[in-house]
Amino acid sequence: MKLLLDTSDVHAIKRIAKMFPIWGITTNPAIVAAGGVQLFDLLPAIRDALGGEGTLFAQVISSSVEGMIEDAHKLNERVENLVVKVPVTPKGLQVIKELTKQGIPTLATSVYGAAQGLLGVLAGAKYVSPYVSRIDAQGGDGAQTVSELQCLLSTHAPDKELVAASFKSPRQALECMLIGCKGITLPVNIFDLFISDPAVAVAVDQFVENWGKAFHTDCL
């Protein structure tokens, strides 16, 4: 499974990269704006934080077809191995189709329905990201949407990849993993929650305490 971080926090990327092989980093305009660092300065810093490896995903800003294509070219030229995120809208589908002709890889984003996501990949996107928690917030079933989209991809576009996104809890991400989702992108706080159960710290401290009492040392 491919695990990505959804963040613009370079320090967090470095911290997590020391303990886990991050496959890639995704950003969006809201995440970049919250971090306060211009995207063109941020992308090389993220690349450095990953040791020059991994796949970066960055989103177009413009609302016009021509503007999104121009954004895509600028992003593609900024760092190597970058995938351009394009919302699946009528204009976005035009952009995905054109960028695919030009050999620029894309991710179909802002996906709230399985059929919408399928259109994004059939237009040419290599990746597609359904918004799990946002679908739930609108009264839908995010995990079910992921399952339906994954089924559609298996039938109609087996060479494309689903990367589930927008999680508010570890349980939401776990449900997508159990479905068989091959890729998920997690906010830093959700990644940390997977390994921050207080019971784990208590168990480790108890092991150390018992060892110390028996052998009067805290190491082998």
Side-chain angles (χ1 to χ4, degrees):
M1 188 189 74
K2 295 175 178 177
L3 192 147
L4 303 84
L5 292 180
D6 200 14
T7 184
S8 65
D9 187 337
V10 174
H11 295 294
I13 294 169
K14 290 180 180 179
R15 172 175 62 83
I16 295 174
K18 289 179 180 179
M19 63 171 124
F20 190 86
I22 303 169
W23 185 80
I25 302 294
T26 64
T27 63
N28 63 41
I31 289 174
V32 174
V37 179
Q38 287 287 350
L39 183 58
F40 272 52
D41 296 326
L42 178 63
L43 290 175
I46 291 176
R47 169 68 66 216
D48 291 343
L50 289 176
E53 301 179 350
T55 302
L56 272 58
F57 295 77
Q59 189 165 327
V60 294
I61 303 296
S62 177
S63 59
S64 71
V65 172
E66 296 77 11
M68 283 190 275
I69 292 174
E70 183 179 353
D71 287 349
H73 281 278
K74 290 179 179 178
L75 291 169
N76 190 59
E77 293 167 359
R78 184 57 173 159
V79 293
E80 295 181 354
N81 203 23
L82 182 135
V83 178
V84 178
K85 297 172 65 175
V86 182
V88 181
T89 63
K91 291 180 180 179
L93 288 173
Q94 295 181 58
V95 173
I96 291 171
K97 180 180 177 182
E98 179 59 31
L99 292 178
T100 301
K101 290 181 181 179
Q102 298 178 14
I104 296 177
T106 57
L107 176 146
T109 190
S110 301
V111 171
Y112 286 78
Q116 178 200 11
L118 178 64
L119 290 179
V121 298
L122 292 181
K126 181 177 180 180
Y127 305 93
V128 57
S129 283
Y131 282 176
V132 178
S133 69
R134 296 192 185 191
I135 294 170
D136 287 347
Q138 290 191 339
D141 187 330
Q144 180 63 28
T145 299
V146 169
S147 179
E148 292 173 353
L149 179 53
Q150 190 162 267
C151 181
L152 288 172
L153 295 186
S154 296
T155 303
H156 303 289
D159 58 327
K160 306 303 176 71
E161 299 184 37
L162 188 154
V163 180
S166 180
F167 295 107
K168 295 299 184 182
S169 72
R171 184 64 202 180
Q172 284 181 322
L174 181 60
E175 288 176 355
C176 289
M177 296 181 204
L178 290 170
I179 290 169
C181 189
K182 297 298 191 298
I184 59 172
T185 177
L186 298 176
V188 170
N189 66 314
I190 301 301
F191 176 92
D192 287 338
L193 285 173
F194 274 110
I195 53 175
S196 63
D197 191 319
V200 175
V202 171
V204 172
D205 289 343
Q206 187 175 38
F207 294 149
V208 173
E209 180 182 354
N210 291 345
W211 180 274
K213 288 179 179 178
F215 301 108
H216 308 291
T217 178
D218 60 357
C219 62
L220 295 178

